Structures are given as structure tokens and as C-alpha cells.
Amino acid sequence: YKKKMAAVQRDEIFTELAQTNDKDEAWVLLNRHISAYQSKMVKYISEAYMQTTSGLIAEDVKVLRRTLNHLEDERKNWKVIRRKELVGLRKIDPLQAVEKDTWFHLACNSCEQSLYCLKRMCEPSLEHVDNNFNPLSRECIEEILPVKKKIVDYLMRSERIVEDRDYEHIDALLAEEEAYKQQLSEMRRAQEDRIQMDLSQGLKVSLVYLNLLQETQELLSDLRHYLRAFKRFQQ
């Protein structure tokens, strides 16, 4: 509770936003608040994805359980931040608010969907490791590690773009994301073929790995929607 209260008290941008009656100043402060807190959200998504995949590969039940618990806390905190920004949206020019409202809610919903995506990824991984089922095969680990590294790097660059409000590089980032989704689609089809041809590694671990690939692909789709909405809102 003390940590939550301290975090609320440190939100100086929202304090200024709540006190101002100038619509232009409110718009500037709202942009600053959204960039600051949504960049933190993208950073958290990157860290949670890295912890989930690492926990499954290393069979670290503590990391997976901690990640799952933090996801629920982060979802609750995100709702608090969203309510604050809705207050700011009411303080800007009404016509501008109508224009930006759709992109604001689309961006917020995309972030929330990313959290649910991570939860769907983490829960079966935790259950699998906690029950001491067969670990991922060496083939799967060697396949996912370079992809994981690329996606974490992609998420970290997305965070910097959101924080700096760097609109010019968002389109290039979205084009790069398409290549990752295509690679994940090929990996998913290959895993489906492995499941049909060879069950020596166990069906449960094969399905957990397939779920990891599918949810990673969905995570990238959510981030794509978010970046497009963020760009439209800020411009």
C-alpha cells in the first residue's frame, strides 16, 4: 500500500494536469503523461516476455510464478493510469478530444490485451514447469532463443520511440514486425508438423511450446495496433 501511495504522489505530471485550466497546456501535459507511462508499459511487457520465455527454458518456477503475480498487479495499475488520462482528455478542447478519443482507447486497449497475452503465455508455462513435465527439447530451445532476442530488442526500441515520441521511425518498426510475424508463422507450422510426426518428446511440452509461439505472434499484433494508435493520437 505504501508503494502504491508513493507512486501516486510521484505523478507530478498528473498533478499539473489536474490543476491547469488552460486547454493548450492540458494537451501538452496529457501528451507527456501518456508518453511517460505508456513507454513504461512497453518496457514492462518486454521484461515480462523475457522472464516468461527464460523461465520456461530454464524451468525456473519461481521466475514464472513471480511474473504471473506481477502481471495481475500491473493490470490493476494500468486501469488507474487510464482513469487519470481520461481526466486529462476531458480537460483539452472538446473538438480535439472527440478527434483523439478513438486512438486513445485503441492504444490503451492494445496495451491491456498485451498483458492478457502474456498471462495466457505464462500460466501454461508455470503449470508445466510446476508439475515437472518434460522440458523443452534442445531443438526447440535453439529455435526460440534467437527469435526471443530479436523480439526483446524490438520491444525495447519500441519503448524508446514511445518515450521520445519519435513518429518518423514507427512505420519502419511496423515493417520490421511483419518479418517477425512471418518467421513465427513458419515456426508454428513446423511445430505443428513435429507434433503430428513425433510425440517422443511428449504432447504436453509440444503444446506449451506451440502456445508460446502463437501468443508471441499475438503479442506482436497487439503492439502493432498500439504503435499505430499512439502515432495517430500524438500527431
PDB file of all heavy atoms in Angstrom, residues 21-36:
ATOM      1  N   ASN A  21      -6.207  24.946 -16.088  1.00  0.00           N
ATOM      2  CA  ASN A  21      -7.466  25.230 -16.774  1.00  0.00           C
ATOM      3  C   ASN A  21      -7.232  25.676 -18.217  1.00  0.00           C
ATOM      4  O   ASN A  21      -8.180  25.994 -18.932  1.00  0.00           O
ATOM      5  CB  ASN A  21      -8.241  26.318 -16.025  1.00  0.00           C
ATOM      6  CG  ASN A  21      -8.750  25.832 -14.683  1.00  0.00           C
ATOM      7  OD1 ASN A  21      -9.243  24.710 -14.573  1.00  0.00           O
ATOM      8  ND2 ASN A  21      -8.610  26.651 -13.645  1.00  0.00           N
ATOM      9  N   ASP A  22      -5.954  25.687 -18.607  1.00  0.00           N
ATOM     10  CA  ASP A  22      -5.586  26.073 -19.965  1.00  0.00           C
ATOM     11  C   ASP A  22      -5.634  24.835 -20.864  1.00  0.00           C
ATOM     12  O   ASP A  22      -4.928  23.852 -20.620  1.00  0.00           O
ATOM     13  CB  ASP A  22      -4.179  26.685 -19.961  1.00  0.00           C
ATOM     14  CG  ASP A  22      -3.792  27.220 -21.327  1.00  0.00           C
ATOM     15  OD1 ASP A  22      -3.610  26.401 -22.253  1.00  0.00           O
ATOM     16  OD2 ASP A  22      -3.673  28.450 -21.468  1.00  0.00           O
ATOM     17  N   LYS A  23      -6.457  24.865 -21.895  1.00  0.00           N
ATOM     18  CA  LYS A  23      -6.651  23.686 -22.745  1.00  0.00           C
ATOM     19  C   LYS A  23      -5.388  23.311 -23.514  1.00  0.00           C
ATOM     20  O   LYS A  23      -5.087  22.128 -23.691  1.00  0.00           O
ATOM     21  CB  LYS A  23      -7.812  23.932 -23.715  1.00  0.00           C
ATOM     22  CG  LYS A  23      -9.182  23.963 -23.025  1.00  0.00           C
ATOM     23  CD  LYS A  23     -10.286  24.228 -24.014  1.00  0.00           C
ATOM     24  CE  LYS A  23     -11.669  24.026 -23.398  1.00  0.00           C
ATOM     25  NZ  LYS A  23     -11.833  24.606 -22.083  1.00  0.00           N
ATOM     26  N   ASP A  24      -4.640  24.311 -23.982  1.00  0.00           N
ATOM     27  CA  ASP A  24      -3.400  24.018 -24.704  1.00  0.00           C
ATOM     28  C   ASP A  24      -2.367  23.387 -23.779  1.00  0.00           C
ATOM     29  O   ASP A  24      -1.678  22.430 -24.149  1.00  0.00           O
ATOM     30  CB  ASP A  24      -2.842  25.303 -25.325  1.00  0.00           C
ATOM     31  CG  ASP A  24      -3.721  25.827 -26.450  1.00  0.00           C
ATOM     32  OD1 ASP A  24      -4.441  25.005 -27.065  1.00  0.00           O
ATOM     33  OD2 ASP A  24      -3.709  27.053 -26.705  1.00  0.00           O
ATOM     34  N   GLU A  25      -2.245  23.928 -22.574  1.00  0.00           N
ATOM     35  CA  GLU A  25      -1.305  23.363 -21.602  1.00  0.00           C
ATOM     36  C   GLU A  25      -1.734  21.954 -21.201  1.00  0.00           C
ATOM     37  O   GLU A  25      -0.891  21.061 -21.034  1.00  0.00           O
ATOM     38  CB  GLU A  25      -1.228  24.252 -20.361  1.00  0.00           C
ATOM     39  CG  GLU A  25      -0.195  23.763 -19.347  1.00  0.00           C
ATOM     40  CD  GLU A  25      -0.176  24.603 -18.079  1.00  0.00           C
ATOM     41  OE1 GLU A  25      -1.073  25.454 -17.917  1.00  0.00           O
ATOM     42  OE2 GLU A  25       0.723  24.392 -17.250  1.00  0.00           O
ATOM     43  N   ALA A  26      -3.039  21.744 -21.073  1.00  0.00           N
ATOM     44  CA  ALA A  26      -3.553  20.416 -20.723  1.00  0.00           C
ATOM     45  C   ALA A  26      -3.190  19.389 -21.794  1.00  0.00           C
ATOM     46  O   ALA A  26      -2.835  18.247 -21.483  1.00  0.00           O
ATOM     47  CB  ALA A  26      -5.059  20.474 -20.533  1.00  0.00           C
ATOM     48  N   TRP A  27      -3.250  19.799 -23.066  1.00  0.00           N
ATOM     49  CA  TRP A  27      -2.894  18.889 -24.163  1.00  0.00           C
ATOM     50  C   TRP A  27      -1.414  18.516 -24.104  1.00  0.00           C
ATOM     51  O   TRP A  27      -1.052  17.347 -24.291  1.00  0.00           O
ATOM     52  CB  TRP A  27      -3.239  19.542 -25.492  1.00  0.00           C
ATOM     53  CG  TRP A  27      -2.725  18.817 -26.699  1.00  0.00           C
ATOM     54  CD1 TRP A  27      -1.814  19.266 -27.601  1.00  0.00           C
ATOM     55  CD2 TRP A  27      -3.090  17.497 -27.130  1.00  0.00           C
ATOM     56  NE1 TRP A  27      -1.589  18.319 -28.572  1.00  0.00           N
ATOM     57  CE2 TRP A  27      -2.359  17.221 -28.310  1.00  0.00           C
ATOM     58  CE3 TRP A  27      -3.955  16.530 -26.633  1.00  0.00           C
ATOM     59  CZ2 TRP A  27      -2.470  16.017 -28.983  1.00  0.00           C
ATOM     60  CZ3 TRP A  27      -4.069  15.321 -27.316  1.00  0.00           C
ATOM     61  CH2 TRP A  27      -3.330  15.078 -28.472  1.00  0.00           C
ATOM     62  N   VAL A  28      -0.560  19.489 -23.844  1.00  0.00           N
ATOM     63  CA  VAL A  28       0.878  19.217 -23.736  1.00  0.00           C
ATOM     64  C   VAL A  28       1.155  18.274 -22.565  1.00  0.00           C
ATOM     65  O   VAL A  28       1.918  17.304 -22.695  1.00  0.00           O
ATOM     66  CB  VAL A  28       1.658  20.541 -23.556  1.00  0.00           C
ATOM     67  CG1 VAL A  28       3.128  20.262 -23.249  1.00  0.00           C
ATOM     68  CG2 VAL A  28       1.541  21.406 -24.805  1.00  0.00           C
ATOM     69  N   LEU A  29       0.535  18.534 -21.425  1.00  0.00           N
ATOM     70  CA  LEU A  29       0.749  17.698 -20.241  1.00  0.00           C
ATOM     71  C   LEU A  29       0.194  16.290 -20.448  1.00  0.00           C
ATOM     72  O   LEU A  29       0.813  15.305 -20.014  1.00  0.00           O
ATOM     73  CB  LEU A  29       0.097  18.347 -19.021  1.00  0.00           C
ATOM     74  CG  LEU A  29       0.754  19.626 -18.507  1.00  0.00           C
ATOM     75  CD1 LEU A  29      -0.117  20.301 -17.462  1.00  0.00           C
ATOM     76  CD2 LEU A  29       2.139  19.325 -17.924  1.00  0.00           C
ATOM     77  N   LEU A  30      -0.952  16.187 -21.118  1.00  0.00           N
ATOM     78  CA  LEU A  30      -1.523  14.870 -21.386  1.00  0.00           C
ATOM     79  C   LEU A  30      -0.600  14.057 -22.288  1.00  0.00           C
ATOM     80  O   LEU A  30      -0.390  12.853 -22.057  1.00  0.00           O
ATOM     81  CB  LEU A  30      -2.901  15.027 -22.039  1.00  0.00           C
ATOM     82  CG  LEU A  30      -3.621  13.727 -22.410  1.00  0.00           C
ATOM     83  CD1 LEU A  30      -3.886  12.874 -21.176  1.00  0.00           C
ATOM     84  CD2 LEU A  30      -4.936  14.036 -23.129  1.00  0.00           C
ATOM     85  N   ASN A  31      -0.042  14.686 -23.303  1.00  0.00           N
ATOM     86  CA  ASN A  31       0.918  14.001 -24.176  1.00  0.00           C
ATOM     87  C   ASN A  31       2.136  13.515 -23.395  1.00  0.00           C
ATOM     88  O   ASN A  31       2.621  12.395 -23.609  1.00  0.00           O
ATOM     89  CB  ASN A  31       1.373  14.939 -25.296  1.00  0.00           C
ATOM     90  CG  ASN A  31       0.473  14.860 -26.517  1.00  0.00           C
ATOM     91  OD1 ASN A  31      -0.127  13.824 -26.771  1.00  0.00           O
ATOM     92  ND2 ASN A  31       0.359  15.941 -27.253  1.00  0.00           N
ATOM     93  N   ARG A  32       2.639  14.365 -22.520  1.00  0.00           N
ATOM     94  CA  ARG A  32       3.795  13.988 -21.699  1.00  0.00           C
ATOM     95  C   ARG A  32       3.455  12.803 -20.799  1.00  0.00           C
ATOM     96  O   ARG A  32       4.254  11.865 -20.647  1.00  0.00           O
ATOM     97  CB  ARG A  32       4.254  15.168 -20.860  1.00  0.00           C
ATOM     98  CG  ARG A  32       5.047  16.232 -21.618  1.00  0.00           C
ATOM     99  CD  ARG A  32       5.359  17.412 -20.722  1.00  0.00           C
ATOM    100  NE  ARG A  32       6.018  16.997 -19.489  1.00  0.00           N
ATOM    101  CZ  ARG A  32       6.097  17.747 -18.396  1.00  0.00           C
ATOM    102  NH1 ARG A  32       5.545  18.952 -18.381  1.00  0.00           N
ATOM    103  NH2 ARG A  32       6.718  17.300 -17.323  1.00  0.00           N
ATOM    104  N   HIS A  33       2.283  12.843 -20.197  1.00  0.00           N
ATOM    105  CA  HIS A  33       1.873  11.769 -19.288  1.00  0.00           C
ATOM    106  C   HIS A  33       1.732  10.448 -20.034  1.00  0.00           C
ATOM    107  O   HIS A  33       2.217   9.397 -19.585  1.00  0.00           O
ATOM    108  CB  HIS A  33       0.547  12.142 -18.621  1.00  0.00           C
ATOM    109  CG  HIS A  33       0.200  11.280 -17.448  1.00  0.00           C
ATOM    110  ND1 HIS A  33      -0.387  10.041 -17.579  1.00  0.00           N
ATOM    111  CD2 HIS A  33       0.388  11.474 -16.113  1.00  0.00           C
ATOM    112  CE1 HIS A  33      -0.563   9.512 -16.393  1.00  0.00           C
ATOM    113  NE2 HIS A  33      -0.112  10.360 -15.475  1.00  0.00           N
ATOM    114  N   ILE A  34       1.084  10.495 -21.198  1.00  0.00           N
ATOM    115  CA  ILE A  34       0.885   9.271 -21.984  1.00  0.00           C
ATOM    116  C   ILE A  34       2.216   8.694 -22.442  1.00  0.00           C
ATOM    117  O   ILE A  34       2.456   7.483 -22.348  1.00  0.00           O
ATOM    118  CB  ILE A  34      -0.043   9.565 -23.172  1.00  0.00           C
ATOM    119  CG1 ILE A  34      -1.482   9.755 -22.668  1.00  0.00           C
ATOM    120  CG2 ILE A  34       0.012   8.451 -24.217  1.00  0.00           C
ATOM    121  CD1 ILE A  34      -2.464  10.177 -23.728  1.00  0.00           C
ATOM    122  N   SER A  35       3.112   9.542 -22.936  1.00  0.00           N
ATOM    123  CA  SER A  35       4.427   9.061 -23.393  1.00  0.00           C
ATOM    124  C   SER A  35       5.222   8.443 -22.248  1.00  0.00           C
ATOM    125  O   SER A  35       5.847   7.388 -22.409  1.00  0.00           O
ATOM    126  CB  SER A  35       5.222  10.215 -24.007  1.00  0.00           C
ATOM    127  OG  SER A  35       4.589  10.711 -25.161  1.00  0.00           O
ATOM    128  N   ALA A  36       5.171   9.092 -21.075  1.00  0.00           N
ATOM    129  CA  ALA A  36       5.950   8.614 -19.934  1.00  0.00           C
ATOM    130  C   ALA A  36       5.445   7.259 -19.442  1.00  0.00           C
ATOM    131  O   ALA A  36       6.232   6.314 -19.238  1.00  0.00           O
ATOM    132  CB  ALA A  36       5.901   9.642 -18.800  1.00  0.00           C
TER     133      ALA A  36
END
